[in-house]
Amino acid sequence: MTPRWDYLIKPYGKQYNNTKKIANLEFTVNTSIEDATFVNRLGIVCAVPNGGQIPLDSIVVVHHNVFRTYLDMKGRKRKSNEYFRDEQYLVNPNRIYMYNEGDGWKTTEEYCFINPIDYIQDGDLYRSDKEKEEHVGIVKHGNINNVSQGDMIGFTKNSEYEFNIDGEKIYRMKNSDICIKI
């Protein structure tokens, strides 16, 4: 089976990542399907469309709504619009942000991933309400002109979207949201 336009993807693991293991006991930390924070964002490519750049069996990072279950206006559970059948989803390439074919993460054309940096305290004023610097980070993954992996950059307001990849908190954003190399 070869899809015409979209990648056929199945979730990598469970649909939701909402459990934590503490002292060999598994606890559910969120039971709400309305919260997108705990939706799995990793999938495995099962079929590649004609001309597709991401290889078969690659692990991909997708939009948080791809594998999400939601409640419709009448309170009935529904799968996302991308749901095809048998826990497989037809995902448009613009909803795939990064992939790993076994040799490390690679971003798709228009996206990059940034490591947030810890808040730098001012010597005169201590702030306990800030954990991370705003609009500043270090390039982790990306194909950005004149910017390399490890460079500190500044980005536009509200352009970052938080992901947890390989146990690390990173921000996904479009390459065009990077506005300065520091």
Side-chain angles (χ1 to χ4, degrees):
M1 172 171 43
T2 304
R4 289 185 66 194
W5 316 112
D6 299 334
Y7 287 87
L8 188 64
I9 295 174
K10 66 180 179 182
Y12 183 72
K14 299 184 288 185
Q15 183 180 7
Y16 283 84
N17 297 326
N18 60 350
T19 59
K20 296 240 185 235
K21 201 168 204 171
I22 302 170
N24 291 331
L25 295 173
E26 194 166 280
F27 291 94
T28 301
V29 293
N30 179 42
T31 58
S32 171
I33 64 173
E34 288 88 8
D35 186 2
T37 307
F38 297 98
V39 175
N40 182 14
R41 297 177 188 158
L42 297 178
I44 299 174
V45 176
C46 301
V48 178
N50 294 327
Q53 303 296 312
I54 301 172
L56 191 66
D57 295 324
S58 294
I59 298 173
V60 292
V61 176
V62 297
H63 191 276
H64 65 275
N65 283 338
V66 169
F67 302 133
R68 190 172 184 186
T69 300
Y70 66 96
L71 299 175
D72 68 10
M73 292 178 68
K74 294 184 178 180
R76 296 175 298 209
K77 281 187 177 181
R78 299 281 185 213
K79 298 277 190 178
S80 73
N81 292 337
E82 286 86 356
Y83 185 75
F84 178 54
R85 66 176 180 213
D86 301 327
E87 291 307 311
Q88 294 180 330
Y89 298 76
L90 286 166
V91 182
N92 191 292
N94 68 7
R95 291 172 75 92
I96 300 173
Y97 307 128
M98 192 163 56
Y99 63 97
N100 186 341
E101 53 188 301
D103 58 349
W105 290 106
K106 298 176 183 90
T107 56
T108 54
E109 289 179 20
E110 66 177 312
Y111 293 100
C112 60
F113 283 81
I114 309 297
N115 277 334
I117 60 173
D118 291 333
Y119 182 72
I120 302 167
Q121 291 290 340
D122 186 336
D124 298 330
L125 178 66
Y126 178 76
R127 295 195 58 173
S128 62
D129 61 332
K130 300 270 186 183
E131 284 185 34
K132 302 293 180 189
E133 282 290 329
E134 292 181 345
H135 317 304
V136 178
I138 297 174
V139 176
K140 176 78 174 174
H141 306 287
N143 303 316
I144 313 157
N145 292 337
N146 303 319
V147 179
S148 305
Q149 186 173 345
D151 286 347
M152 185 180 285
I153 53 93
F155 50 86
T156 58
K157 185 177 182 180
N158 298 326
S159 60
E160 73 276 15
Y161 193 81
E162 190 176 306
F163 280 76
N164 188 336
I165 307 294
D166 297 334
E168 183 178 18
K169 177 177 151 178
I170 54 179
Y171 296 147
R172 185 240 17 163
M173 64 188 67
K174 290 188 174 187
N175 293 338
S176 59
D177 291 323
I178 294 177
C179 54
I180 190 167
K181 181 177 172 181
I182 301 173

